[in-house]
Amino acid sequence: MRSITPDTLGWLYRQHAPALLLFARQWPGSGDDLVQEAFLKLARQAASPEHVLPWLYRVVRNAALSANRAAARSRERERRASAPEAWFATADDQLAAHDATRLLAELPLEQREVIVARIWGELTFEEIAQLVDCPLATAHRRYHTGLNELKNRLDGSWTRTPPATKTT
Amino acid sequence: MDPNSPRDQDDLIDIERRLAGWRPDMDRLSADELMFAAGQAAARRGPGRILWPAATALFFAIAVGMGVWGFTERTERYALASRIRESRPAPSASPSPNTPESPEKYEPPPPNAYLSMRRSAEQDPNRWLASLQPVTPAVLAQTPEPVIPRSGQRDRFLDP
């Protein structure tokens, strides 16, 4: 199998980099540099992986887990965890972007990563189960539990908070 | 409440659709930066990445080796030269610088040499002419006539 062409790389980046960035941000301290590095790693591959998108998510997840472990004790991690940056450019007419970010950020990580990979990453449940290294039924359960939690919060039991002030 | 009921499934589909409408933030993503970095990575991935450093290391090693060999060889030559100088016997008495070197013994040319005859002719032509022995008919008769090959004649060069 041949290495990936520049056109394909650019197309993949434009199509999937935003969702990959959202996926990477599920781990405190992880961000655009991990996404960039994952695409660079793809460009350096002598042979393109058979399933590129799950491969990219796995690379980002592994890098995010490593970065999160390295920064586990840092103050930066605590700051980012307490006031996450905006994960969404726009949400919908009923919800502001920062409320959408907080809403998703309050879910447990194991549910968040499955939901992000499924809804914005458009991975199949089989690919997600392989990605997070769990049985297929577990991936389904985490997904539905997380969606039910989001639905309940969006239905009114969840109280919106004012946007966090940015500290420089 | 059964989470797999049709009503709940519809609700989940609705929430899925709503979430899918949220657009992830991508302000900090730059496709141009990625393509530039990918180009750099591709340039470094070629065979030149190994070839040129290897060639440089090889030629450097050759240059160092030849330098060491040349230095040791030169040292050996100097040592050999000094040993030869030391083993050569010293002269018994050094010649005095005031003593002129003895000239080489001059041997005059024989009297029938061209140079002697020319000098004699230049100094006194008459005397030189007088010194020449006249050619007499008896002398000429003693001189064998040279063989002149002629056309139509067999000669001794061709005869068996």
Side-chain angles (χ1 to χ4, degrees):
Chain A
M1 190 172 287
R2 297 167 57 188
S3 62
I4 198 161
T5 63
D7 289 342
T8 308
L9 185 69
W11 181 84
L12 279 171
Y13 191 82
R14 285 188 295 274
Q15 285 293 117
H16 298 289
L20 271 167
L21 177 59
L22 177 63
F23 185 72
R25 283 171 165 169
Q26 303 311 307
W27 288 267
S30 304
D32 52 342
D33 51 341
L34 296 187
V35 176
Q36 187 101 348
E37 190 56 40
F39 277 94
L40 282 179
K41 192 172 182 179
L42 176 63
R44 284 194 291 262
Q45 294 291 309
S48 177
E50 189 176 357
H51 301 290
V52 175
L53 198 54
W55 184 90
L56 282 171
Y57 274 83
R58 176 168 290 279
V59 169
V60 168
R61 187 174 190 269
N62 291 342
L65 287 172
S66 299
N68 193 44
R69 276 195 294 267
R73 297 185 186 88
S74 68
R75 291 181 183 178
E76 181 68 11
R77 177 180 179 273
E78 294 174 4
R79 188 187 68 78
R80 286 172 184 256
S82 60
E85 56 192 335
W87 291 349
F88 297 99
T90 57
D92 51 46
D93 51 358
Q94 303 171 39
L95 195 67
H98 70 272
D99 283 331
T101 300
R102 283 191 63 86
L103 185 68
L104 189 61
E106 287 175 5
L107 287 180
L109 175 61
E110 60 181 15
Q111 295 174 10
R112 269 189 283 141
E113 62 175 346
V114 172
I115 288 174
V116 170
R118 175 69 187 138
I119 292 182
W120 289 280
E122 298 177 349
L123 298 186
T124 65
F125 279 107
E126 287 80 5
E127 291 170 342
I128 293 172
Q130 289 180 355
L131 174 67
V132 301
D133 197 17
C134 73
L136 181 62
T138 305
H140 272 287
R141 182 175 50 76
R142 289 176 184 174
Y143 180 73
H144 286 110
T145 306
L147 279 190
N148 274 318
E149 186 67 27
L150 287 175
K151 174 179 169 298
N152 291 336
R153 293 180 183 189
L154 285 170
D155 283 347
S157 58
W158 180 71
T159 56
R160 296 175 186 174
T161 58
T165 55
K166 283 192 174 179
T167 57
T168 56
Chain B
M1 186 172 147
D2 182 11
N4 294 323
S5 65
R7 178 180 172 79
D8 285 333
Q9 289 296 327
D10 291 343
D11 288 344
L12 286 184
I13 290 172
D14 288 341
I15 191 70
E16 279 180 323
R17 286 178 182 157
R18 185 175 177 185
L19 291 176
W22 297 0
R23 197 162 58 84
D25 176 56
M26 55 176 301
D27 285 347
R28 290 160 65 178
L29 295 176
S30 171
D32 293 338
E33 283 182 19
L34 169 79
M35 298 308 287
F36 180 74
Q40 282 186 317
R44 284 193 295 264
R45 192 182 55 194
R49 190 184 64 165
I50 299 296
L51 182 64
W52 287 112
T56 304
L58 176 66
F59 285 118
F60 178 75
I62 290 174
V64 169
M66 290 185 71
V68 171
W69 174 79
F71 179 77
T72 54
E73 197 268 349
R74 180 184 164 91
T75 307
E76 288 174 0
R77 286 164 65 100
Y78 272 112
L80 180 63
S82 64
R83 278 201 304 273
I84 291 173
R85 272 198 303 271
E86 290 170 359
S87 63
R88 188 179 295 169
S92 57
S94 61
S96 171
N98 296 329
T99 305
E101 291 184 1
S102 59
E104 293 181 359
K105 188 177 180 182
Y106 177 72
E107 293 181 0
N112 57 349
Y114 170 77
L115 183 59
S116 302
M117 293 172 71
R118 182 182 176 87
R119 283 178 180 169
S120 300
E122 286 174 352
Q123 289 170 359
D124 192 351
N126 295 326
R127 186 178 172 188
W128 175 71
L129 282 175
S131 68
L132 291 178
Q133 292 180 355
V135 179
T136 60
V139 173
L140 286 175
Q142 292 176 356
T143 306
E145 189 177 351
V147 179
I148 301 172
R150 300 180 190 282
S151 61
Q153 288 184 346
R154 298 175 63 88
D155 56 33
R156 59 190 171 93
F157 297 111
L158 295 177
D159 288 339

mmCIF file of all heavy atoms in Angstrom, chain B residues 112-154:
data_model
loop_
_atom_site.group_PDB
_atom_site.id
_atom_site.type_symbol
_atom_site.label_atom_id
_atom_site.label_comp_id
_atom_site.label_asym_id
_atom_site.label_seq_id
_atom_site.Cartn_x
_atom_site.Cartn_y
_atom_site.Cartn_z
ATOM 1 N N ASN B 112 95.977 14.224 -34.322
ATOM 2 C CA ASN B 112 95.168 14.093 -35.542
ATOM 3 C C ASN B 112 93.686 14.311 -35.292
ATOM 4 O O ASN B 112 92.851 14.030 -36.142
ATOM 5 C CB ASN B 112 95.388 12.718 -36.169
ATOM 6 C CG ASN B 112 95.072 11.596 -35.198
ATOM 7 O OD1 ASN B 112 94.896 11.852 -34.000
ATOM 8 N ND2 ASN B 112 95.017 10.387 -35.690
ATOM 9 N N ALA B 113 93.345 14.811 -34.066
ATOM 10 C CA ALA B 113 91.947 15.115 -33.783
ATOM 11 C C ALA B 113 91.541 16.385 -34.501
ATOM 12 O O ALA B 113 92.368 17.231 -34.847
ATOM 13 C CB ALA B 113 91.746 15.264 -32.282
ATOM 14 N N TYR B 114 90.280 16.500 -34.710
ATOM 15 C CA TYR B 114 89.782 17.651 -35.449
ATOM 16 C C TYR B 114 90.105 18.948 -34.722
ATOM 17 O O TYR B 114 90.519 19.942 -35.337
ATOM 18 C CB TYR B 114 88.269 17.521 -35.638
ATOM 19 C CG TYR B 114 87.614 18.757 -36.176
ATOM 20 C CD1 TYR B 114 87.721 19.078 -37.548
ATOM 21 C CD2 TYR B 114 86.936 19.637 -35.349
ATOM 22 C CE1 TYR B 114 87.148 20.222 -38.047
ATOM 23 C CE2 TYR B 114 86.363 20.790 -35.846
ATOM 24 C CZ TYR B 114 86.454 21.070 -37.196
ATOM 25 O OH TYR B 114 85.892 22.210 -37.687
ATOM 26 N N LEU B 115 89.960 18.928 -33.380
ATOM 27 C CA LEU B 115 90.195 20.160 -32.623
ATOM 28 C C LEU B 115 91.665 20.599 -32.731
ATOM 29 O O LEU B 115 91.960 21.783 -32.928
ATOM 30 C CB LEU B 115 89.821 19.921 -31.148
ATOM 31 C CG LEU B 115 89.935 21.119 -30.226
ATOM 32 C CD1 LEU B 115 89.029 22.258 -30.721
ATOM 33 C CD2 LEU B 115 89.577 20.754 -28.787
ATOM 34 N N SER B 116 92.599 19.631 -32.627
ATOM 35 C CA SER B 116 94.021 19.982 -32.733
ATOM 36 C C SER B 116 94.361 20.516 -34.116
ATOM 37 O O SER B 116 95.074 21.530 -34.275
ATOM 38 C CB SER B 116 94.892 18.741 -32.454
ATOM 39 O OG SER B 116 94.589 18.250 -31.182
ATOM 40 N N MET B 117 93.791 19.857 -35.127
ATOM 41 C CA MET B 117 94.078 20.294 -36.486
ATOM 42 C C MET B 117 93.501 21.682 -36.726
ATOM 43 O O MET B 117 94.103 22.543 -37.365
ATOM 44 C CB MET B 117 93.502 19.292 -37.491
ATOM 45 C CG MET B 117 94.205 17.932 -37.431
ATOM 46 S SD MET B 117 93.398 16.691 -38.423
ATOM 47 C CE MET B 117 93.823 17.289 -40.044
ATOM 48 N N ARG B 118 92.343 21.956 -36.180
ATOM 49 C CA ARG B 118 91.723 23.271 -36.399
ATOM 50 C C ARG B 118 92.538 24.370 -35.700
ATOM 51 O O ARG B 118 92.758 25.458 -36.259
ATOM 52 C CB ARG B 118 90.291 23.246 -35.880
ATOM 53 C CG ARG B 118 89.572 24.574 -36.116
ATOM 54 C CD ARG B 118 88.176 24.529 -35.555
ATOM 55 N NE ARG B 118 87.542 25.821 -35.704
ATOM 56 C CZ ARG B 118 86.878 26.205 -36.776
ATOM 57 N NH1 ARG B 118 86.754 25.374 -37.793
ATOM 58 N NH2 ARG B 118 86.337 27.410 -36.839
ATOM 59 N N ARG B 119 92.973 24.056 -34.475
ATOM 60 C CA ARG B 119 93.775 25.049 -33.759
ATOM 61 C C ARG B 119 95.093 25.339 -34.514
ATOM 62 O O ARG B 119 95.517 26.489 -34.630
ATOM 63 C CB ARG B 119 94.086 24.550 -32.339
ATOM 64 C CG ARG B 119 92.905 24.693 -31.419
ATOM 65 C CD ARG B 119 93.242 24.156 -30.041
ATOM 66 N NE ARG B 119 92.134 24.278 -29.115
ATOM 67 C CZ ARG B 119 92.098 23.702 -27.942
ATOM 68 N NH1 ARG B 119 93.106 22.930 -27.547
ATOM 69 N NH2 ARG B 119 91.068 23.875 -27.165
ATOM 70 N N SER B 120 95.696 24.287 -35.017
ATOM 71 C CA SER B 120 96.955 24.466 -35.762
ATOM 72 C C SER B 120 96.728 25.304 -37.012
ATOM 73 O O SER B 120 97.524 26.194 -37.373
ATOM 74 C CB SER B 120 97.544 23.109 -36.164
ATOM 75 O OG SER B 120 97.800 22.361 -35.021
ATOM 76 N N ALA B 121 95.596 25.043 -37.687
ATOM 77 C CA ALA B 121 95.298 25.795 -38.905
ATOM 78 C C ALA B 121 95.037 27.257 -38.587
ATOM 79 O O ALA B 121 95.384 28.154 -39.358
ATOM 80 C CB ALA B 121 94.104 25.174 -39.595
ATOM 81 N N GLU B 122 94.403 27.506 -37.454
ATOM 82 C CA GLU B 122 94.109 28.895 -37.110
ATOM 83 C C GLU B 122 95.391 29.635 -36.677
ATOM 84 O O GLU B 122 95.563 30.818 -36.972
ATOM 85 C CB GLU B 122 93.073 28.940 -35.967
ATOM 86 C CG GLU B 122 91.665 28.587 -36.423
ATOM 87 C CD GLU B 122 90.705 28.506 -35.258
ATOM 88 O OE1 GLU B 122 91.151 28.564 -34.073
ATOM 89 O OE2 GLU B 122 89.496 28.364 -35.515
ATOM 90 N N GLN B 123 96.234 28.951 -35.945
ATOM 91 C CA GLN B 123 97.441 29.624 -35.461
ATOM 92 C C GLN B 123 98.434 29.917 -36.614
ATOM 93 O O GLN B 123 98.960 31.006 -36.735
ATOM 94 C CB GLN B 123 98.125 28.753 -34.389
ATOM 95 C CG GLN B 123 97.353 28.719 -33.095
ATOM 96 C CD GLN B 123 97.920 27.666 -32.143
ATOM 97 O OE1 GLN B 123 98.890 26.954 -32.486
ATOM 98 N NE2 GLN B 123 97.330 27.591 -30.978
ATOM 99 N N ASP B 124 98.681 28.935 -37.443
ATOM 100 C CA ASP B 124 99.657 29.125 -38.548
ATOM 101 C C ASP B 124 99.242 28.251 -39.708
ATOM 102 O O ASP B 124 99.594 27.067 -39.783
ATOM 103 C CB ASP B 124 101.071 28.756 -38.057
ATOM 104 C CG ASP B 124 102.134 29.208 -39.053
ATOM 105 O OD1 ASP B 124 101.736 29.634 -40.172
ATOM 106 O OD2 ASP B 124 103.320 29.105 -38.718
ATOM 107 N N PRO B 125 98.452 28.809 -40.605
ATOM 108 C CA PRO B 125 97.910 27.980 -41.699
ATOM 109 C C PRO B 125 99.002 27.386 -42.577
ATOM 110 O O PRO B 125 98.908 26.223 -42.994
ATOM 111 C CB PRO B 125 97.047 28.968 -42.477
ATOM 112 C CG PRO B 125 96.738 30.060 -41.529
ATOM 113 C CD PRO B 125 97.934 30.159 -40.631
ATOM 114 N N ASN B 126 100.055 28.178 -42.847
ATOM 115 C CA ASN B 126 101.110 27.662 -43.742
ATOM 116 C C ASN B 126 101.818 26.475 -43.115
ATOM 117 O O ASN B 126 102.097 25.479 -43.786
ATOM 118 C CB ASN B 126 102.118 28.770 -44.042
ATOM 119 C CG ASN B 126 101.447 29.905 -44.827
ATOM 120 O OD1 ASN B 126 100.544 29.632 -45.632
ATOM 121 N ND2 ASN B 126 101.870 31.137 -44.611
ATOM 122 N N ARG B 127 102.075 26.633 -41.876
ATOM 123 C CA ARG B 127 102.784 25.532 -41.211
ATOM 124 C C ARG B 127 101.901 24.283 -41.159
ATOM 125 O O ARG B 127 102.384 23.164 -41.305
ATOM 126 C CB ARG B 127 103.148 25.984 -39.797
ATOM 127 C CG ARG B 127 104.007 24.976 -39.069
ATOM 128 C CD ARG B 127 104.371 25.500 -37.701
ATOM 129 N NE ARG B 127 105.026 24.517 -36.896
ATOM 130 C CZ ARG B 127 105.324 24.648 -35.626
ATOM 131 N NH1 ARG B 127 105.029 25.813 -35.018
ATOM 132 N NH2 ARG B 127 105.951 23.697 -34.961
ATOM 133 N N TRP B 128 100.647 24.562 -40.984
ATOM 134 C CA TRP B 128 99.746 23.405 -40.904
ATOM 135 C C TRP B 128 99.652 22.707 -42.254
ATOM 136 O O TRP B 128 99.686 21.485 -42.343
ATOM 137 C CB TRP B 128 98.341 23.907 -40.466
ATOM 138 C CG TRP B 128 97.320 22.819 -40.470
ATOM 139 C CD1 TRP B 128 97.229 21.789 -39.604
ATOM 140 C CD2 TRP B 128 96.303 22.615 -41.444
ATOM 141 N NE1 TRP B 128 96.215 20.961 -39.917
ATOM 142 C CE2 TRP B 128 95.589 21.462 -41.069
ATOM 143 C CE3 TRP B 128 95.907 23.329 -42.576
ATOM 144 C CZ2 TRP B 128 94.524 21.002 -41.808
ATOM 145 C CZ3 TRP B 128 94.828 22.822 -43.268
ATOM 146 C CH2 TRP B 128 94.142 21.686 -42.905
ATOM 147 N N LEU B 129 99.630 23.526 -43.330
ATOM 148 C CA LEU B 129 99.571 22.930 -44.655
ATOM 149 C C LEU B 129 100.848 22.138 -44.952
ATOM 150 O O LEU B 129 100.827 21.076 -45.569
ATOM 151 C CB LEU B 129 99.375 24.020 -45.712
ATOM 152 C CG LEU B 129 97.940 24.550 -45.846
ATOM 153 C CD1 LEU B 129 97.887 25.715 -46.824
ATOM 154 C CD2 LEU B 129 97.018 23.442 -46.309
ATOM 155 N N ALA B 130 101.953 22.720 -44.480
ATOM 156 C CA ALA B 130 103.231 22.037 -44.730
ATOM 157 C C ALA B 130 103.334 20.725 -43.969
ATOM 158 O O ALA B 130 103.999 19.773 -44.401
ATOM 159 C CB ALA B 130 104.381 22.964 -44.344
ATOM 160 N N SER B 131 102.657 20.709 -42.833
ATOM 161 C CA SER B 131 102.749 19.482 -42.033
ATOM 162 C C SER B 131 101.934 18.344 -42.617
ATOM 163 O O SER B 131 102.113 17.186 -42.248
ATOM 164 C CB SER B 131 102.285 19.781 -40.601
ATOM 165 O OG SER B 131 100.919 20.060 -40.612
ATOM 166 N N LEU B 132 101.029 18.700 -43.498
ATOM 167 C CA LEU B 132 100.194 17.647 -44.074
ATOM 168 C C LEU B 132 101.027 16.794 -45.010
ATOM 169 O O LEU B 132 101.843 17.302 -45.779
ATOM 170 C CB LEU B 132 99.022 18.268 -44.835
ATOM 171 C CG LEU B 132 97.971 18.969 -43.990
ATOM 172 C CD1 LEU B 132 96.899 19.571 -44.895
ATOM 173 C CD2 LEU B 132 97.344 17.997 -43.016
ATOM 174 N N GLN B 133 100.869 15.558 -45.009
ATOM 175 C CA GLN B 133 101.605 14.666 -45.895
ATOM 176 C C GLN B 133 100.956 14.711 -47.271
ATOM 177 O O GLN B 133 99.750 14.548 -47.385
ATOM 178 C CB GLN B 133 101.566 13.237 -45.346
ATOM 179 C CG GLN B 133 102.332 13.075 -44.064
ATOM 180 C CD GLN B 133 102.259 11.644 -43.552
ATOM 181 O OE1 GLN B 133 101.563 10.812 -44.128
ATOM 182 N NE2 GLN B 133 103.017 11.372 -42.496
ATOM 183 N N PRO B 134 101.791 15.007 -48.307
ATOM 184 C CA PRO B 134 101.202 15.041 -49.647
ATOM 185 C C PRO B 134 100.758 13.644 -50.080
ATOM 186 O O PRO B 134 101.333 12.638 -49.674
ATOM 187 C CB PRO B 134 102.348 15.560 -50.518
ATOM 188 C CG PRO B 134 103.580 15.202 -49.778
ATOM 189 C CD PRO B 134 103.260 15.238 -48.336
ATOM 190 N N VAL B 135 99.689 13.643 -50.878
ATOM 191 C CA VAL B 135 99.153 12.363 -51.364
ATOM 192 C C VAL B 135 99.925 11.998 -52.642
ATOM 193 O O VAL B 135 99.838 12.693 -53.666
ATOM 194 C CB VAL B 135 97.661 12.476 -51.659
ATOM 195 C CG1 VAL B 135 97.116 11.153 -52.186
ATOM 196 C CG2 VAL B 135 96.918 12.905 -50.402
ATOM 197 N N THR B 136 100.659 10.987 -52.591
ATOM 198 C CA THR B 136 101.472 10.552 -53.733
ATOM 199 C C THR B 136 100.712 9.513 -54.535
ATOM 200 O O THR B 136 99.764 8.882 -54.017
ATOM 201 C CB THR B 136 102.802 9.958 -53.233
ATOM 202 O OG1 THR B 136 102.488 8.834 -52.391
ATOM 203 C CG2 THR B 136 103.592 10.978 -52.443
ATOM 204 N N PRO B 137 101.127 9.332 -55.818
ATOM 205 C CA PRO B 137 100.444 8.297 -56.628
ATOM 206 C C PRO B 137 100.588 6.920 -56.020
ATOM 207 O O PRO B 137 99.687 6.089 -56.138
ATOM 208 C CB PRO B 137 101.168 8.406 -57.963
ATOM 209 C CG PRO B 137 101.690 9.787 -58.029
ATOM 210 C CD PRO B 137 102.035 10.154 -56.630
ATOM 211 N N ALA B 138 101.689 6.683 -55.338
ATOM 212 C CA ALA B 138 101.858 5.358 -54.728
ATOM 213 C C ALA B 138 100.820 5.135 -53.642
ATOM 214 O O ALA B 138 100.237 4.049 -53.500
ATOM 215 C CB ALA B 138 103.251 5.253 -54.130
ATOM 216 N N VAL B 139 100.565 6.203 -52.935
ATOM 217 C CA VAL B 139 99.544 6.087 -51.872
ATOM 218 C C VAL B 139 98.190 5.856 -52.499
ATOM 219 O O VAL B 139 97.397 5.041 -52.036
ATOM 220 C CB VAL B 139 99.578 7.356 -51.002
ATOM 221 C CG1 VAL B 139 98.428 7.328 -50.014
ATOM 222 C CG2 VAL B 139 100.886 7.446 -50.258
ATOM 223 N N LEU B 140 97.930 6.597 -53.602
ATOM 224 C CA LEU B 140 96.625 6.446 -54.258
ATOM 225 C C LEU B 140 96.459 5.035 -54.821
ATOM 226 O O LEU B 140 95.374 4.478 -54.821
ATOM 227 C CB LEU B 140 96.479 7.468 -55.382
ATOM 228 C CG LEU B 140 96.221 8.910 -54.931
ATOM 229 C CD1 LEU B 140 96.212 9.845 -56.155
ATOM 230 C CD2 LEU B 140 94.922 9.023 -54.178
ATOM 231 N N ALA B 141 97.611 4.491 -55.332
ATOM 232 C CA ALA B 141 97.521 3.156 -55.888
ATOM 233 C C ALA B 141 97.211 2.118 -54.814
ATOM 234 O O ALA B 141 96.561 1.108 -55.087
ATOM 235 C CB ALA B 141 98.833 2.809 -56.590
ATOM 236 N N GLN B 142 97.692 2.406 -53.629
ATOM 237 C CA GLN B 142 97.415 1.452 -52.541
ATOM 238 C C GLN B 142 95.952 1.518 -52.077
ATOM 239 O O GLN B 142 95.448 0.577 -51.480
ATOM 240 C CB GLN B 142 98.335 1.736 -51.343
ATOM 241 C CG GLN B 142 99.788 1.416 -51.656
ATOM 242 C CD GLN B 142 100.727 1.775 -50.506
ATOM 243 O OE1 GLN B 142 100.289 2.328 -49.514
ATOM 244 N NE2 GLN B 142 102.011 1.482 -50.691
ATOM 245 N N THR B 143 95.345 2.653 -52.356
ATOM 246 C CA THR B 143 93.957 2.811 -51.907
ATOM 247 C C THR B 143 93.035 2.015 -52.811
ATOM 248 O O THR B 143 93.056 2.193 -54.029
ATOM 249 C CB THR B 143 93.561 4.302 -51.951
ATOM 250 O OG1 THR B 143 94.509 5.035 -51.202
ATOM 251 C CG2 THR B 143 92.166 4.497 -51.404
ATOM 252 N N PRO B 144 92.247 1.093 -52.304
ATOM 253 C CA PRO B 144 91.341 0.320 -53.168
ATOM 254 C C PRO B 144 90.245 1.197 -53.750
ATOM 255 O O PRO B 144 89.741 2.119 -53.083
ATOM 256 C CB PRO B 144 90.769 -0.729 -52.213
ATOM 257 C CG PRO B 144 90.887 -0.132 -50.863
ATOM 258 C CD PRO B 144 92.122 0.719 -50.896
ATOM 259 N N GLU B 145 89.987 0.926 -55.020
ATOM 260 C CA GLU B 145 88.939 1.711 -55.687
ATOM 261 C C GLU B 145 87.574 1.283 -55.139
ATOM 262 O O GLU B 145 87.298 0.081 -55.048
ATOM 263 C CB GLU B 145 89.011 1.480 -57.185
ATOM 264 C CG GLU B 145 88.123 2.405 -57.967
ATOM 265 C CD GLU B 145 88.296 2.156 -59.473
ATOM 266 O OE1 GLU B 145 89.210 1.407 -59.842
ATOM 267 O OE2 GLU B 145 87.492 2.725 -60.236
ATOM 268 N N PRO B 146 86.776 2.190 -54.800
ATOM 269 C CA PRO B 146 85.456 1.806 -54.264
ATOM 270 C C PRO B 146 84.614 1.154 -55.327
ATOM 271 O O PRO B 146 84.722 1.465 -56.509
ATOM 272 C CB PRO B 146 84.855 3.142 -53.810
ATOM 273 C CG PRO B 146 85.544 4.184 -54.603
ATOM 274 C CD PRO B 146 86.930 3.653 -54.861
ATOM 275 N N VAL B 147 83.825 0.232 -54.900
ATOM 276 C CA VAL B 147 82.965 -0.501 -55.820
ATOM 277 C C VAL B 147 81.771 0.364 -56.145
ATOM 278 O O VAL B 147 81.082 0.862 -55.254
ATOM 279 C CB VAL B 147 82.506 -1.815 -55.185
ATOM 280 C CG1 VAL B 147 81.579 -2.559 -56.139
ATOM 281 C CG2 VAL B 147 83.711 -2.672 -54.845
ATOM 282 N N ILE B 148 81.612 0.624 -57.425
ATOM 283 C CA ILE B 148 80.466 1.437 -57.844
ATOM 284 C C ILE B 148 79.476 0.524 -58.537
ATOM 285 O O ILE B 148 79.776 -0.034 -59.587
ATOM 286 C CB ILE B 148 80.903 2.558 -58.795
ATOM 287 C CG1 ILE B 148 81.940 3.450 -58.097
ATOM 288 C CG2 ILE B 148 79.708 3.376 -59.267
ATOM 289 C CD1 ILE B 148 82.572 4.468 -59.012
ATOM 290 N N PRO B 149 78.352 0.282 -57.976
ATOM 291 C CA PRO B 149 77.357 -0.566 -58.631
ATOM 292 C C PRO B 149 76.792 0.115 -59.866
ATOM 293 O O PRO B 149 76.531 1.323 -59.857
ATOM 294 C CB PRO B 149 76.255 -0.764 -57.562
ATOM 295 C CG PRO B 149 76.438 0.321 -56.586
ATOM 296 C CD PRO B 149 77.864 0.777 -56.661
ATOM 297 N N ARG B 150 76.673 -0.639 -60.905
ATOM 298 C CA ARG B 150 76.160 -0.102 -62.159
ATOM 299 C C ARG B 150 74.987 -0.956 -62.620
ATOM 300 O O ARG B 150 74.912 -2.138 -62.296
ATOM 301 C CB ARG B 150 77.253 -0.095 -63.230
ATOM 302 C CG ARG B 150 78.463 0.748 -62.843
ATOM 303 C CD ARG B 150 79.536 0.739 -63.932
ATOM 304 N NE ARG B 150 80.778 1.325 -63.506
ATOM 305 C CZ ARG B 150 80.999 2.643 -63.420
ATOM 306 N NH1 ARG B 150 80.037 3.487 -63.745
ATOM 307 N NH2 ARG B 150 82.175 3.111 -63.018
ATOM 308 N N SER B 151 74.196 -0.356 -63.443
ATOM 309 C CA SER B 151 73.002 -1.072 -63.900
ATOM 310 C C SER B 151 73.416 -2.135 -64.895
ATOM 311 O O SER B 151 74.333 -1.932 -65.691
ATOM 312 C CB SER B 151 72.004 -0.103 -64.535
ATOM 313 O OG SER B 151 72.570 0.524 -65.657
ATOM 314 N N GLY B 152 72.741 -3.261 -64.842
ATOM 315 C CA GLY B 152 73.025 -4.339 -65.763
ATOM 316 C C GLY B 152 74.181 -5.202 -65.339
ATOM 317 O O GLY B 152 74.530 -6.130 -66.068
ATOM 318 N N GLN B 153 74.830 -4.910 -64.248
ATOM 319 C CA GLN B 153 75.966 -5.709 -63.788
ATOM 320 C C GLN B 153 75.573 -6.468 -62.532
ATOM 321 O O GLN B 153 74.832 -5.960 -61.703
ATOM 322 C CB GLN B 153 77.159 -4.793 -63.468
ATOM 323 C CG GLN B 153 77.808 -4.205 -64.682
ATOM 324 C CD GLN B 153 79.046 -3.396 -64.316
ATOM 325 O OE1 GLN B 153 79.257 -3.081 -63.159
ATOM 326 N NE2 GLN B 153 79.852 -3.064 -65.324
ATOM 327 N N ARG B 154 76.089 -7.670 -62.483
ATOM 328 C CA ARG B 154 75.914 -8.421 -61.248
ATOM 329 C C ARG B 154 77.037 -8.027 -60.304
ATOM 330 O O ARG B 154 78.153 -7.791 -60.722
ATOM 331 C CB ARG B 154 75.961 -9.921 -61.534
ATOM 332 C CG ARG B 154 74.843 -10.373 -62.475
ATOM 333 C CD ARG B 154 75.084 -11.853 -62.783
ATOM 334 N NE ARG B 154 74.992 -12.699 -61.623
ATOM 335 C CZ ARG B 154 73.853 -13.226 -61.216
ATOM 336 N NH1 ARG B 154 72.728 -13.010 -61.891
ATOM 337 N NH2 ARG B 154 73.820 -13.984 -60.173
#
